[in-house]
Amino acid sequence: MASKKRVVITGMGALTPIGNSLEEYWNNLVQGVSGAAPITHFDAEKFKTQFACEVKNFDVKEHLDRKEARQLDLFSIYAMVTSAEAMKDSGLDCEKIDLDRAGVIWGSGIGGLTTFQEECFNFERGDGTPRFNPYFIPKMIVDIASGHISIKYGFRGPNYVTVSACASSTNALIDAAMQIQMGRADVMITGGSEAAVNIAGMGGFNALRALSTRNDSPATASRPFDKNRDGFVLGEGSGCIVLEELEHAKARGAKIYAELAGGGLSADAHHITAPHPDGTGAKKAMEYALNDAELSVEDIDYINVHGTSTPLGDVAETKAIKSVFGEHAYNLNISSTKSMTGHLLGAAGAIEAIATIMAVKNDIVPPTINFETEDENIDNKLNLTLNKAEKRTVNAALSNTFGFGGHNTSVIVKKYND
């Protein structure tokens, strides 16, 4: 059997609640900036939760013409913006690569929720005559983001979207890497986008009692591992990563951020929204990722955890880490960047993979902010990188993303060595 092709990261783009570019996003992560603030997208006065992590100072006219923007839901707009940044960052020339061996695998948990909401509202306001926007379906469907990206760049290789709730874009990243590893593609655009900070999104998650209701202090509401955490903070945005087969990247003299070493997938088979209390599914995903990467637990220096700031999830994940890593768990840096960005649902894995890649590249671990009070159910001897970034050598790092339905994904990146 032929050995797997090696996969490297050659381009990235980010549009997040704490930065509208890769550079701005990373700098604010390191500085420990919170992206949470009162909602501006709609009047949230009557909602239990009146704040979120919205993308800020974003003008679509700076990126797309008016006609194109009208045909896209916001989640697709975010995807187009970050893919453009990532492609520019990669230095890829579409006229010099085999477009039949270039593809797009994207991730989104919900897709065009704003479009669906608006069309329903418009129908309700009318006289009962069904007048729907002809772009209603093409704007709403989740797979359309990868379609638009492939059309823009002419990529004719594998093309689809993964949907696994909050694990969606990590699933996309792993799938995209597999296409290259198996020799089916040379270049893959991957990542995820989400735009669910709207009436339906906030109302639905409030009904689940999943969101923090710390309306008096939004900036401190996302507090993973803190005893007084009361739910996650909804976020929006996008992250895009260009993956490339190593020899293909070397042949064109591409800069290489890091190597994508392996991925692991599992299911809790336990509950539709709650994690397994012992983190058994999370444990398996991490073990599978280590095995795929052919690394030992001692090789990992940092874990970017799912860490949503929910009462059950944070406990289960730390249990899983201790189960997998044993005594080495106490040598790791662990942090939740959701403390700053909020939870981007299907886009979470993409922006957190980017944070993990940048930690490996720069030897800096971004912090878990807003920590004040220890939780007796979480081992306080673990280095949770509390409130301040830490400099350390990060040779290899793991990123976890878990989703409603019991979906677990783990991905490992490591420093590139020829």
Side-chain angles (χ1 to χ4, degrees), residues 99-400:
L99 296 176
D100 290 326
R101 293 184 55 81
V104 185
I105 301 178
W106 203 249
S108 185
I110 297 179
L113 186 60
T114 298
T115 293
F116 189 89
Q117 173 186 284
E118 288 175 351
E119 291 298 313
C120 290
F121 285 170
N122 288 339
F123 177 75
E124 181 64 23
R125 294 187 195 105
D127 60 5
T129 303
R131 299 185 182 92
F132 287 87
N133 188 314
Y135 289 105
F136 174 26
I137 301 302
K139 287 174 69 174
M140 178 195 71
I141 52 178
V142 185
D143 68 290
I144 205 68
S146 66
H148 280 293
I149 295 169
S150 69
I151 290 167
K152 178 174 180 178
Y153 298 105
F155 283 13
R156 296 188 294 265
N159 186 279
Y160 58 90
V161 162
T162 57
V163 181
S164 49
C166 307
S168 296
S169 53
T170 307
N171 266 130
L173 180 59
I174 293 170
D175 278 17
M178 288 172 61
Q179 295 293 332
I180 295 172
Q181 288 170 340
M182 293 186 295
R184 296 176 179 175
D186 301 320
V187 176
M188 294 294 297
I189 294 177
T190 187
S193 56
E194 206 79 88
V197 181
N198 51 38
I199 291 170
M202 294 300 297
F205 283 112
N206 264 157
L208 279 173
R209 298 182 180 178
L211 299 179
S212 170
T213 56
R214 194 181 285 258
N215 293 311
D216 58 339
S217 182
T220 66
S222 186
R223 45 180 56 227
F225 314 120
D226 188 278
K227 182 176 182 177
N228 298 312
R229 64 192 182 280
D230 69 329
F232 71 81
V233 178
L234 188 60
E236 63 171 358
S238 179
C240 182
I241 298 169
V242 176
L243 300 180
E244 206 164 339
E245 193 272 324
L246 174 59
E247 297 305 321
H248 188 276
K250 287 167 63 177
R252 67 180 187 86
K255 74 172 182 296
I256 294 173
Y257 283 100
E259 182 171 354
L260 198 157
L265 310 169
S266 75
D268 279 350
H270 171 69
H271 189 272
I272 58 169
T273 57
H276 191 285
D278 294 324
T280 55
K283 174 177 178 285
K284 282 296 180 185
M286 288 186 276
E287 289 175 342
Y288 292 150
L290 286 163
N291 182 65
D292 189 41
E294 299 181 354
L295 296 176
S296 69
V297 294
E298 290 80 14
D299 292 321
I300 303 298
D301 300 302
Y302 167 50
I303 300 178
N304 185 300
V305 292
H306 187 55
T308 55
S309 186
T310 55
L312 298 178
D314 294 0
V315 174
E317 189 170 8
T318 53
K319 284 182 178 178
I321 290 169
K322 289 175 64 178
S323 178
V324 173
F325 288 88
E327 285 301 310
H328 184 64
Y330 301 103
N331 301 323
L332 297 165
N333 271 81
I334 296 166
S335 74
S336 171
T337 48
K338 285 187 181 73
S339 59
M340 295 171 275
T341 65
H343 192 352
L344 270 66
L345 306 178
I351 68 163
E352 289 159 21
I354 289 170
T356 307
I357 293 161
M358 293 296 280
V360 168
K361 178 180 182 293
N362 296 301
D363 290 322
I364 300 174
V365 175
T368 306
I369 68 168
N370 295 326
F371 185 88
E372 295 175 346
T373 307
E374 288 183 1
D375 182 343
E376 60 274 15
N377 297 307
I378 294 175
D379 190 340
N380 61 22
K381 293 179 182 178
L382 294 170
N383 183 358
L384 302 174
T385 321
L386 299 174
N387 299 319
K388 187 177 180 180
E390 291 185 21
K391 292 184 178 181
R392 68 167 287 173
T393 300
V394 184
N395 288 312
L398 183 150
S399 180
N400 284 333

